[in-house]
PDB file of all heavy atoms in Angstrom:
ATOM      1  N   ASP A 135      94.105  -5.154 185.357  1.00 84.00           N
ATOM      2  CA  ASP A 135      95.242  -5.705 184.932  1.00 84.00           C
ATOM      3  C   ASP A 135      96.209  -4.795 184.037  1.00 84.00           C
ATOM      4  O   ASP A 135      97.365  -4.725 184.246  1.00 84.00           O
ATOM      5  CB  ASP A 135      94.915  -7.002 184.016  1.00 84.00           C
ATOM      6  CG  ASP A 135      96.238  -7.795 183.594  1.00 84.00           C
ATOM      7  OD1 ASP A 135      96.990  -8.255 184.472  1.00 84.00           O
ATOM      8  OD2 ASP A 135      96.409  -7.897 182.399  1.00 84.00           O
ATOM      9  N   TYR A 139      99.724  -3.250 185.350  1.00 84.00           N
ATOM     10  CA  TYR A 139     100.927  -3.577 184.473  1.00 84.00           C
ATOM     11  C   TYR A 139     101.676  -2.380 183.953  1.00 84.00           C
ATOM     12  O   TYR A 139     102.832  -2.267 184.087  1.00 84.00           O
ATOM     13  CB  TYR A 139     100.464  -4.481 183.350  1.00 84.00           C
ATOM     14  CG  TYR A 139     101.649  -4.933 182.385  1.00 84.00           C
ATOM     15  CD1 TYR A 139     102.497  -5.860 182.867  1.00 84.00           C
ATOM     16  CD2 TYR A 139     101.956  -4.275 181.256  1.00 84.00           C
ATOM     17  CE1 TYR A 139     103.551  -6.354 182.015  1.00 84.00           C
ATOM     18  CE2 TYR A 139     102.976  -4.606 180.459  1.00 84.00           C
ATOM     19  CZ  TYR A 139     103.823  -5.668 180.828  1.00 84.00           C
ATOM     20  OH  TYR A 139     104.770  -6.066 180.029  1.00 84.00           O
ATOM     21  N   LEU A 156     104.861  -2.738 174.785  1.00 81.00           N
ATOM     22  CA  LEU A 156     104.793  -3.734 175.888  1.00 81.00           C
ATOM     23  C   LEU A 156     103.310  -3.786 176.480  1.00 81.00           C
ATOM     24  O   LEU A 156     102.756  -4.877 176.684  1.00 81.00           O
ATOM     25  CB  LEU A 156     105.752  -3.505 176.956  1.00 81.00           C
ATOM     26  CG  LEU A 156     107.316  -3.646 176.557  1.00 81.00           C
ATOM     27  CD1 LEU A 156     108.205  -3.166 177.726  1.00 81.00           C
ATOM     28  CD2 LEU A 156     107.496  -5.152 176.319  1.00 81.00           C
ATOM     29  N   GLU A 157     102.875  -2.605 176.863  1.00 80.00           N
ATOM     30  CA  GLU A 157     101.540  -2.535 177.490  1.00 80.00           C
ATOM     31  C   GLU A 157     100.306  -3.064 176.491  1.00 80.00           C
ATOM     32  O   GLU A 157      99.517  -3.734 176.901  1.00 80.00           O
ATOM     33  CB  GLU A 157     101.161  -1.148 177.916  1.00 80.00           C
ATOM     34  CG  GLU A 157     102.139  -0.615 179.004  1.00 80.00           C
ATOM     35  CD  GLU A 157     102.071   0.926 179.199  1.00 80.00           C
ATOM     36  OE1 GLU A 157     101.008   1.414 178.666  1.00 80.00           O
ATOM     37  OE2 GLU A 157     102.923   1.481 179.826  1.00 80.00           O
ATOM     38  N   LEU A 158     100.480  -2.660 175.266  1.00 84.00           N
ATOM     39  CA  LEU A 158      99.540  -3.123 174.290  1.00 84.00           C
ATOM     40  C   LEU A 158      99.506  -4.695 174.161  1.00 84.00           C
ATOM     41  O   LEU A 158      98.456  -5.352 174.096  1.00 84.00           O
ATOM     42  CB  LEU A 158      99.730  -2.426 172.852  1.00 84.00           C
ATOM     43  CG  LEU A 158      98.775  -2.860 171.856  1.00 84.00           C
ATOM     44  CD1 LEU A 158      97.340  -2.484 172.253  1.00 84.00           C
ATOM     45  CD2 LEU A 158      99.076  -2.120 170.496  1.00 84.00           C
ATOM     46  N   THR A 159     100.708  -5.226 173.997  1.00 86.00           N
ATOM     47  CA  THR A 159     100.927  -6.727 173.747  1.00 86.00           C
ATOM     48  C   THR A 159     100.257  -7.391 175.085  1.00 86.00           C
ATOM     49  O   THR A 159      99.595  -8.388 174.952  1.00 86.00           O
ATOM     50  CB  THR A 159     102.328  -7.053 173.693  1.00 86.00           C
ATOM     51  OG1 THR A 159     102.910  -6.456 172.532  1.00 86.00           O
ATOM     52  CG2 THR A 159     102.643  -8.674 173.574  1.00 86.00           C
ATOM     53  N   HIS A 160     100.587  -6.870 176.293  1.00 81.00           N
ATOM     54  CA  HIS A 160     100.054  -7.511 177.523  1.00 81.00           C
ATOM     55  C   HIS A 160      98.587  -7.429 177.556  1.00 81.00           C
ATOM     56  O   HIS A 160      97.931  -8.261 177.856  1.00 81.00           O
ATOM     57  CB  HIS A 160     100.683  -6.839 178.722  1.00 81.00           C
ATOM     58  CG  HIS A 160     100.195  -7.289 180.028  1.00 81.00           C
ATOM     59  ND1 HIS A 160     100.640  -8.453 180.673  1.00 81.00           N
ATOM     60  CD2 HIS A 160      99.189  -6.822 180.792  1.00 81.00           C
ATOM     61  CE1 HIS A 160     100.046  -8.596 181.718  1.00 81.00           C
ATOM     62  NE2 HIS A 160      99.143  -7.724 181.951  1.00 81.00           N
ATOM     63  N   LEU A 161      98.047  -6.168 177.177  1.00 83.00           N
ATOM     64  CA  LEU A 161      96.666  -6.065 177.216  1.00 83.00           C
ATOM     65  C   LEU A 161      95.876  -6.933 176.180  1.00 83.00           C
ATOM     66  O   LEU A 161      94.781  -7.524 176.469  1.00 83.00           O
ATOM     67  CB  LEU A 161      96.317  -4.585 176.880  1.00 83.00           C
ATOM     68  CG  LEU A 161      94.803  -4.132 177.210  1.00 83.00           C
ATOM     69  CD1 LEU A 161      94.509  -4.208 178.751  1.00 83.00           C
ATOM     70  CD2 LEU A 161      94.682  -2.700 176.730  1.00 83.00           C
ATOM     71  N   LEU A 162      96.440  -7.194 175.065  1.00 87.00           N
ATOM     72  CA  LEU A 162      95.842  -8.067 174.062  1.00 87.00           C
ATOM     73  C   LEU A 162      95.807  -9.489 174.497  1.00 87.00           C
ATOM     74  O   LEU A 162      94.875 -10.171 174.291  1.00 87.00           O
ATOM     75  CB  LEU A 162      96.581  -7.886 172.731  1.00 87.00           C
ATOM     76  CG  LEU A 162      96.397  -6.550 171.993  1.00 87.00           C
ATOM     77  CD1 LEU A 162      97.318  -6.610 170.714  1.00 87.00           C
ATOM     78  CD2 LEU A 162      94.941  -6.406 171.500  1.00 87.00           C
ATOM     79  N   ALA A 163      96.951  -9.962 175.083  1.00 83.00           N
ATOM     80  CA  ALA A 163      97.002 -11.247 175.779  1.00 83.00           C
ATOM     81  C   ALA A 163      95.990 -11.494 176.722  1.00 83.00           C
ATOM     82  O   ALA A 163      95.264 -12.512 176.887  1.00 83.00           O
ATOM     83  CB  ALA A 163      98.438 -11.474 176.286  1.00 83.00           C
ATOM     84  N   SER A 164      95.960 -10.485 177.692  1.00 80.00           N
ATOM     85  CA  SER A 164      94.836 -10.498 178.736  1.00 80.00           C
ATOM     86  C   SER A 164      93.383 -10.516 178.214  1.00 80.00           C
ATOM     87  O   SER A 164      92.579 -11.214 178.744  1.00 80.00           O
ATOM     88  CB  SER A 164      94.954  -9.299 179.661  1.00 80.00           C
ATOM     89  OG  SER A 164      96.276  -9.342 180.450  1.00 80.00           O
TER      90      SER A 164
END
Side-chain angles (χ1 to χ4, degrees):
D135 184 59
Y139 183 78
L156 288 173
E157 295 170 13
L158 181 60
T159 301
H160 177 83
L161 192 61
L162 289 175
S164 298

